Amino acid sequence: MRAVRLTHWGGPPVITEVERPEPRSEEVLVRVEAAGLCGSDLHVIAAAPGALPYLTPFTLGHEIAGRVAGSGPDATGPPTGERVVVYGPWGCGRCGHCSTGAENYCDRRPALDAVRAGTGAGLGRDGGLADFVLVPSGRLLLPVGDLAPTQAAPLSDAGLTAYHAITGIRQALDEAGGGAGGASVAVIGVGGLGHLAIQILRATTSAQVFAVDIRDDAIALADDCGAHFGTLVRPDTADVLRKRSGDAGVDAVLDFVGTSATLRLGVSALRAGGQLTLVGSGGGELTVRKPGALPPGLRMSLPFWGTRPDLERVIALARSGAVRVETKQFPLSRAPEAIDTLRSGAVRGRAVLIPD
Ligand code: FEH
Ligand code: ZN
Ligand code: ZN
């Protein structure tokens, strides 16, 4: 089978012919029908030797949809032929967090990384930029019904991460809902995650949604996704957002970029007691000091990926038609081109690769 593999740190991903894995014990083999590309893939590809607790070579791809193609004798989960998405954070499956489906916060992650077990598919373990992917357990597979695979795959990472980030601001939105204009949320970065966050906010909250990006076509996408207002980044963007929110400031900011500039913009637009959620891995920094310039009562969170119950909910939203993924599709054979296109910022929505 073909697999897009990181053969050594600092090298380019290479489409390689490898043995199709045989599922044993609880393992399940999935025939990949679509696999999304993520900004984190770019970070993994660019990582210096030793920066990540993963051993090369391994196959990339942590945003996967396909059909169950076989399973080991002790496997559970969806039957052969069922179309599924892969829940990507592969935890120990037994600790306090994993037992509630929050394998994204597995208590044993350091120990798993120490034995080079990796974060999950495409993140130290062989992932789904391939014809097949081997999943450690059927508990990591969620059925998607009649969703197209190119719509389903992005839900497992972009959709799940956006949904989980929004669960963390619901309290701030509920507390603010009684205000004059109701609650308001700024979505900074309208890419693969941001465009889905806008749709999830519109489908599950009554908040006013304001989108911010540096690209005209991203602001147009935000509008298509139901944002009440969109603006390019300008020197006065924080003031523009504060005015839009009724002068007090927005109740929550979802920063899907995560640079020092977007963090500064976020806290400048927030009202007192507001919630800043840092999702993007832009490597930005924010000085937290008292006394200081941050809004009083600031609440901050750094969510990571999402839980299995979150993924069930975002699949249900997509199946209801409330969430639709904007995709730019590539055949698997053009994976290097897809990666370069993502890196150049030229992907509107999410890049998805399809085994050709
Ligand atoms: C995965 C692994 C490591 C860092 C970040 C991520 C995200 O892409 C998951 O959504
Ligand atoms: Zn990702
Ligand atoms: Zn665990």
Side-chain angles (χ1 to χ4, degrees):
M1 74 174 204
R2 293 167 307 166
V4 181
R5 288 171 71 79
L6 197 58
T7 55
H8 61 278
W9 295 113
V14 180
I15 300 177
T16 312
E17 193 61 33
V18 297
E19 194 80 19
R20 183 194 310 181
E22 272 306 312
R24 295 173 299 174
S25 179
E26 293 176 50
E27 296 174 335
V28 181
L29 185 69
V30 174
R31 174 188 287 279
V32 177
E33 295 180 300
L37 271 185
C38 174
S40 304
D41 292 313
L42 301 181
H43 291 307
V44 170
I45 293 164
L52 296 172
Y54 309 152
L55 275 183
T56 57
F58 61 88
T59 302
L60 293 165
H62 59 270
E63 187 173 81
I64 309 159
R67 289 188 187 274
V68 176
S71 51
D74 310 319
T76 59
T80 300
E82 179 91 29
R83 177 169 288 161
V84 294
V85 289
V86 177
Y87 176 66
W90 297 352
C92 71
R94 295 184 309 278
C95 71
H97 280 315
C98 286
S99 57
T100 66
E103 300 201 31
N104 51 325
Y105 299 133
C106 174
D107 295 314
R108 296 196 177 100
R109 175 66 56 213
L112 288 176
D113 283 343
V115 296
R116 303 292 186 188
T119 304
L123 301 160
R125 308 280 293 272
D126 283 340
L129 284 185
D131 291 312
F132 291 87
V133 63
L134 191 64
V135 177
S137 165
R139 75 172 196 273
L140 302 168
L141 300 177
L142 283 82
V144 294
D146 54 2
L147 272 182
T150 50
Q151 284 293 307
L155 301 179
S156 65
D157 182 17
L160 172 56
T161 303
Y163 187 94
H164 183 63
I166 291 167
T167 58
I169 65 169
R170 288 194 189 284
Q171 184 186 343
L173 299 184
D174 291 347
E175 288 165 1
S184 55
V185 186
V187 173
I188 301 179
V190 187
L193 281 72
H195 89 286
L196 296 177
I198 293 167
Q199 295 178 66
I200 294 166
L201 284 164
R202 292 304 319 274
T204 63
T205 78
S206 57
Q208 291 289 299
V209 180
F210 307 148
V212 181
D213 201 287
I214 57 173
R215 300 163 296 178
D216 286 315
D217 65 341
I219 298 303
L221 177 58
D223 184 50
D224 295 343
C225 292
H228 296 93
F229 169 71
T231 177
L232 291 174
V233 174
R234 308 177 329 191
D236 65 343
T237 298
D239 292 336
V240 168
L241 294 175
R242 298 184 74 87
K243 278 193 177 40
R244 278 274 161 174
S245 69
D247 284 337
V250 294
D251 301 284
V253 170
L254 296 172
D255 184 350
F256 290 107
V257 180
T259 60
S260 299
T262 55
L263 286 168
R264 265 197 311 278
L265 167 57
V267 293
S268 305
L270 265 179
R271 72 188 287 202
Q275 166 101 24
L276 173 66
T277 299
L278 171 56
V279 183
S281 301
E285 296 179 344
L286 181 71
T287 302
V288 177
R289 185 179 58 236
K290 271 193 168 185
L294 296 177
L298 170 68
R299 286 169 283 183
M300 190 163 177
S301 65
L302 283 77
F304 173 65
W305 219 326
T307 69
R308 235 185 1 258
D310 290 335
L311 183 50
E312 285 164 1
R313 295 184 192 107
V314 77
I315 290 168
L317 281 173
R319 294 188 66 184
S320 75
V323 168
R324 191 197 153 281
V325 186
E326 177 77 16
T327 62
K328 182 172 183 58
Q329 299 176 21
F330 300 82
L332 183 66
S333 55
R334 287 167 46 202
E337 176 193 337
I339 292 166
D340 289 343
T341 306
L342 177 64
R343 189 178 290 119
S344 72
V347 171
R348 188 177 195 263
R350 198 70 162 173
V352 179
L353 279 78
I354 301 157
D356 46 335

